[in-house]
Amino acid sequence: MRRRSAVYNFCMNVVVSIFSRTGEDTFKICSRGEIFFENGGFSVRYSTDGDDCLLEFSEGVVTQRRSGNLNFTMQFAEGRQTECMLTEGGSGFSFPIFTHVLGVSFSEDSGCTVTLRYSNGAENELTELVFTAERERVPNERRTPRAR
C-alpha cells in the first residue's frame, strides 16, 4: 500500500485521448503517458508526433505545453483572454485565446477529463476540445465486480 502525503503526490500510467473540432475540421490523437496528482491539481505528461507534451491543471487554470519540432504554451482560464506563444522553424509569434468554457474533473482512481471551448486568433475561430487521461489497464489486473 502506498502512503500519500497531505498534498497527495501520486502518479499512474494513463492512456491519453484528445479530440478537437474547429469548424468542420476534426482532430483526434491517442498516446500513453503519466498523470501526477499534487496540491489539489494534476499534470499529464505524454508525447505526440515525437514532441513532449504537458497538460497541467492548478487553481482553476489549464496550461498546455508542447516542446520539440513545434513549441507552444497555451493557457486557458474560463471567461478570460490569454495568449498562445508558438515557435516553429525558428519563427515565433503569439495570438489571443478567449476561453468560453473550461470543465475539469479528476480522480486518483481513474484519471482526468478536461473540456474546453475557446476562440483564438484574429478571426476568433471557435474550437471545442476534450482531453482525457484514463488509467491504463494492466492485463489480468484484479478488478472489483460492480454491485448489482
Side-chain angles (χ1 to χ4, degrees):
M1 178 182 221
R2 183 184 287 194
R3 288 184 61 97
R4 294 179 222 145
S5 68
V7 291
Y8 298 106
N9 293 329
F10 179 69
C11 173
M12 74 176 161
N13 293 330
V14 291
V15 175
V16 174
S17 297
I18 303 170
F19 174 81
S20 69
R21 178 178 36 232
T22 303
E24 298 296 316
D25 297 329
T26 60
F27 174 76
K28 183 171 183 173
I29 67 158
C30 293
S31 181
R32 286 197 164 95
E34 295 178 314
I35 188 168
F36 301 87
F37 296 96
E38 55 190 352
N39 301 323
F42 61 85
S43 59
V44 180
R45 293 186 188 280
Y46 63 99
S47 64
T48 183
D49 298 328
D51 291 353
D52 294 325
C53 301
L54 176 66
L55 182 122
E56 300 171 290
F57 172 72
S58 180
E59 299 179 6
V61 176
V62 169
T63 304
Q64 172 69 53
R65 301 178 205 283
R66 180 172 173 164
S67 60
N69 291 325
L70 176 65
N71 299 290
F72 66 77
T73 301
M74 298 174 82
Q75 197 169 59
F76 302 95
E78 190 170 75
R80 290 185 27 211
Q81 182 171 309
T82 56
E83 292 288 315
C84 173
M85 306 300 287
L86 183 97
T87 307
E88 185 176 22
S91 298
F93 60 94
S94 67
F95 56 87
I97 300 169
F98 182 82
T99 306
H100 302 278
V101 175
L102 169 61
V104 177
S105 63
F106 61 98
S107 122
E108 289 184 16
D109 295 328
S110 59
C112 71
T113 300
V114 175
T115 304
L116 290 165
R117 189 167 190 219
Y118 63 94
S119 301
N120 64 75
E123 296 83 30
N124 284 322
E125 197 169 44
L126 186 63
T127 299
E128 296 174 313
L129 182 138
V130 177
F131 176 101
T132 59
E134 296 180 316
R135 184 173 68 134
E136 186 174 32
R137 300 287 179 197
V138 178
N140 299 320
E141 179 181 22
R142 284 185 78 173
R143 297 197 175 143
T144 306
R146 292 184 182 162
R148 292 184 184 228

